[in-house]
Amino acid sequence: MVESRPAPEGVDPFTPNVARIFDYMLGGKDNYEVDRMVAQRMLEVAPDTRLTAWFCRQFLIKLTEIAGEAGIRQYIDLGAGIPTTPAVHEIARKKDASARVAFVDYDPVVYAHANAILAGETGVTPILADIRHIDDLITRLRTDAQIDFAQPVAIMIIGVLHYLMDDEHPAEIIARLREVMAPGSYLGFSHASVDTNQAFVKTVDEVTTGGIAEVRYRTVAETTALFDGFDLLAPGIVPLQQWLDNELPATGLVLLGGLCRKP
Ligand SMILES: C[S@@+](CC[C@H](N)C(=O)[O-])C[C@H]1O[C@@H](n2cnc3c(N)ncnc32)[C@H](O)[C@@H]1O
């Protein structure tokens, strides 16, 4: 029996949820029996998925540190998920205590948890918004989180873009962000690869028919095409392990990572 935090108001603990499944993979307490059942099915076919989730967080930390070293003081975590320590504001504020951070997610479950966990953090703003409505989101970032796009920003989109199907036009969404970002801004991302273990793909397909987000696995070429107009930084679009430490083991769920800079 795993201990959970009580569900915030408005959260349905009986329908599985991507953010809470991810929270479980990371060893968090903001998940329920229904989420753990789906997570266990994934772990049966790819027992190292917990490790992949941990790589994701390590990659996010690394990107935030790189941006901080480059003098960035505004951070936008898109598809941020349930707040996990260390979160972007905790890393960014080691470099500059006044760093401004927006945590964006379209899931009311995440928003409820983010409000409960981040309440009272000045300059840290949870926003309930959908990346697919990008112009609305950009407006909210300006008005609700006081993001000044005339100054460089760091945008992180970790473990999210593979939930956007081709007909939802991910490249156009990224291009719109690129247009408003000041030169010298950073955009870091991870994305599920077509090299992922096929048993894992099949299991996720089965559980996603129940209404949990469908995944579009992409090749390196397809992923690269999403970031047209940016400079891609070394080592390029490669499995997360290559960003972190080449000695790390390969995993069943292969996540590609990349970091771009607006010229
Ligand atoms: C696998 S979790 C990753 C969480 C976090 N980025 C991390 O790496 O720890 C994916 C998150 O993206 C969010 N998400 C998916 N599609 C989205 C969209 N169109 N707009 C905003 N958030 C989205 C989900 O709600 C979920 O919280």
Side-chain angles (χ1 to χ4, degrees):
M1 189 73 186
V2 180
E3 194 193 333
S4 304
R5 265 199 275 254
E9 212 180 320
V11 168
D12 170 9
F14 302 110
T15 306
N17 172 281
V18 170
R20 292 194 317 237
I21 293 167
F22 194 75
D23 176 75
Y24 174 71
M25 294 290 185
L26 287 169
K29 291 188 172 179
D30 295 307
N31 52 76
Y32 306 105
E33 196 53 40
V34 69
D35 308 307
R36 296 192 276 271
M37 278 168 56
V38 174
Q40 284 305 334
R41 287 191 61 191
M42 293 177 177
L43 288 167
E44 277 163 24
V45 286
D48 50 22
T49 306
R50 278 211 161 95
L51 197 56
T52 318
W54 185 78
F55 292 164
C56 257
R57 296 305 300 183
Q58 294 306 114
F59 183 55
L60 178 66
I61 291 168
K62 179 165 188 153
L63 296 180
T64 307
E65 287 171 346
I66 292 173
E69 285 301 320
I72 304 288
R73 299 292 175 263
Q74 309 183 91
Y75 298 81
I76 303 165
D77 190 352
L78 292 183
I82 294 167
T84 298
T85 295
V88 169
H89 65 293
E90 293 165 311
I91 305 297
R93 289 181 163 186
K94 281 187 187 159
K95 190 80 189 158
D96 181 340
S98 67
R100 193 173 290 285
V101 182
F103 289 103
V104 178
D105 208 289
Y106 73 165
D107 186 339
V109 170
V110 170
Y111 186 64
H113 283 291
N115 272 322
I117 295 168
L118 300 173
E121 290 273 0
T122 309
V124 177
T125 313
I127 295 179
L128 180 64
D130 190 327
I131 295 167
R132 293 169 296 184
H133 303 146
I134 192 65
D135 287 316
D136 289 348
L137 171 59
I138 290 167
T139 302
R140 299 273 309 280
L141 288 166
R142 288 191 169 112
T143 56
D144 298 11
Q146 282 84 49
I147 296 292
D148 175 6
F149 283 102
Q151 301 299 319
V153 296
I155 299 182
M156 318 298 187
I157 318 181
I158 307 299
V160 184
L161 288 172
H162 44 245
Y163 295 116
L164 298 187
M165 301 297 111
D166 292 349
D167 62 5
E168 294 174 311
H169 310 295
E172 288 171 25
I173 291 169
I174 303 292
R176 185 71 192 106
L177 286 171
R178 195 190 65 240
E179 274 168 25
V180 296
M181 291 161 81
S185 292
Y186 286 81
L187 190 154
F189 61 90
S190 72
H191 195 296
S193 160
V194 289
D195 294 332
T196 293
N197 166 327
Q198 286 308 303
F200 181 91
V201 171
K202 189 165 170 287
T203 299
V204 171
D205 279 353
E206 282 165 16
V207 291
T208 54
T209 53
I212 307 174
E214 193 182 347
V215 174
R216 165 72 163 94
Y217 299 86
R218 292 188 171 92
T219 63
V220 170
E222 286 172 327
T223 307
T224 306
L226 301 179
F227 302 96
D228 195 32
F230 281 102
D231 292 336
L232 263 177
L233 305 186
I237 299 181
V238 293
L240 293 186
Q241 289 90 325
Q242 290 185 43
W243 272 96
L244 300 172
D245 176 349
N246 276 321
E247 301 294 309
L248 291 171
T251 47
L253 165 60
V254 178
L255 287 179
L256 300 168
L259 178 61
C260 332
R261 190 170 179 278
K262 177 165 172 175

